[in-house]
Amino acid sequence: MAAIAMEVEAVEDQQQLIEMNNNVMCQLADPEGTPLGPPMYLPQNAGPKELQQMVNKLLNNEEKLPYVFYVSDEELVVQLGSYLQKHKVSVEKVLTIVYQPQAVFRIRSVSRCSATIAGHTEAVLSVAFSPDGRQLASGSGDTTVRFWDQNTQTPLFTCTGHKNWVLCIAWSPDGKHLVSGSKAGELQCWDPQTGKPSGGPLIGHKKWITALSWEPLHLKAPCRRFVSSSKDGDARIWDISTRKSVICLSGHTLAVTCVKWGGDGVIYTGSQDCTIKVWETSQGKLIRELKGHGHWVNSLALSTEYVLRTGAFDHTAKQYSSPEEMKEVALERYNKMKGNAPERLVSGSDDFTMFLWEPAVSKHPKTRMTGHQQLVNHVYFSPDGQWVASASFDKSVKLWNGITGKFVAAFRGHVGPVYQISWSADSRLLVSGSKDSTLKVWDIRTKKLKQDLPGHADEVFAVDWSPDGEKVASGGRDRVLKLWMG
C-alpha cells in the first residue's frame, strides 16, 4: 500500500510541476511601481483581456475600466506564453506586469483641414482653445489678439491695444478671461464674451513676456491671479481684480523663459541662467532651486498640466453655474489625476537634454533624459501624466515614460525643426507643428505616424488640440489660422 501511495504522490508532484511549468509567476503593479496584490501564478494563455478582468476585480472597480499592460516598457499584446518565448524570458523569475488605465472615451484623429481663416496681417505666434473647447483665440505679430467663431469659422473679435507682437496668450481655467503678453513687455486681460479689454494694460515688466500661467482653479475660484515670466529676469504675479502686480519673483540672473503654476500652489520658473526655481506664492519666497542643466532652460511641463488648464471641464464640456461648483469639480479632477504620486516636472533645454524632477520630494533630478541631437524646444505631459513628449530642432518628436523618464520612441517624419506639440484629451494621439509647414499626428500605441497634414504655406509656429477633442487649430508664418477635424 505504501508503495502505491508513494506512486500516487509522485504522479501528483509531477502534475504540479507540469502545471507550474505552464504557469507564470506574475506581479501586477501600477505605473508608479506599487504592487497590486501578491505575486501570483497566471496561465501562459492569459493575455490582455484576462489581465483586464483581473485588474478590475482586484481594484473593485464598479465600472469596468480599460487597461493597457506593459512588460519592461513594452506593451503586452499577446498571451504571456508567446511573450516569454519571443523574448526568451525565464519562467523562474517573477514577471512584473504594469497596468495603465486608459481613457474611457476615444478621440478621433483629425484628418482634414476644415477651415482656413484669414484675418491676421502678420505671423500667428500662438493659438489656444478655451478650457471647454468652445472658444478659440490667437496672438499675432500684427499686435492683435483675435477670438474666432468656430461655428461660422470667421473672426469674432479683433483685440487691439498691444504695442508690439503678441508672443503668448493664456485662458483662465474657468474660461472667463484671456491674458496676452507682448514683445513690449505689457500684459492685457480680455473678456472673451465681448473681446474688450478688462481695464488698461498691466505694466511692470521691462522686457518682453515669455510665458503665462494661471493659478489653478481648484486652489482659488473664480480665477483672479496669474503669473508672467519675462526676458527681464523676473516673474510677476498679477491680480486681475486690482489690476496690479502683487508679487515680483526676482532671483534669476538672466531671462526667465517659462513659468508654470503648479497644482500644489507653488510656481516653477525656468531660465537662461540654467536653473529652475520653485516659489511659494503668498510672499514670493524662493523654496527650492533645481540645478543640472548646462545651458538655457527653454520649456517646462507639469504632469498635472492638462487638468490644471481645463479646470472643471472634461471632454464632455459640461457647463457650471457657480465658481464654488467649478472649484469642487476641478479639485476632484486634480486629485483623481494626481493619485498618491507627487507632481512631476520635466524641463527641456538648449543643452539637448531634459530632466525629470519631483520638486516636492527632492532638489535632485529623478532622471536625466538624453537622446535629442539639438535643442529641446517644447516638452508636454500627456493628459493622464503617463507620457512626456518633446519637440526638438533635430526634427524629431520623442516619447518618454512620464513616471520613470525612460525613453520610449522617436517619431521621425518632419524635415525641419519641430516647434510645438499638443495632446489629444485621451492621451492616445499627439500632434506636432514644424518649420517644414506641416502638422503631423502620431499614434502613441503603434508609435507611428497616423496622419500627415500639409496645407500651411510656411512654418507652423503654434498648434493646439481642443480639450473636447473635436479639432486642432494651427497658425504660423502664412498668417492664416487653420482648423482640422476628424
Side-chain angles (χ1 to χ4, degrees), residues 39 68 128 262 368 371 442:
V68 173
R368 183 164 183 253
W442 310 93

Side-chain angles (χ1 to χ4, degrees), residues 385-403:
Q386 301 289 336
W387 310 105
V388 173
S390 55
S392 164
F393 272 49
D394 67 10
K395 306 173 189 168
S396 77
V397 173
K398 289 192 192 299
L399 183 71
W400 317 77
N401 181 309
I403 290 148

Side-chain angles (χ1 to χ4, degrees), residues 299-320:
S299 179
L300 288 174
L302 276 174
S303 54
T304 51
E305 196 156 333
Y306 199 81
V307 287
L308 296 184
R309 169 194 171 172
T310 50
F313 300 108
D314 61 13
H315 64 283
T316 61
K318 175 181 185 262
Q319 299 295 309
Y320 297 93

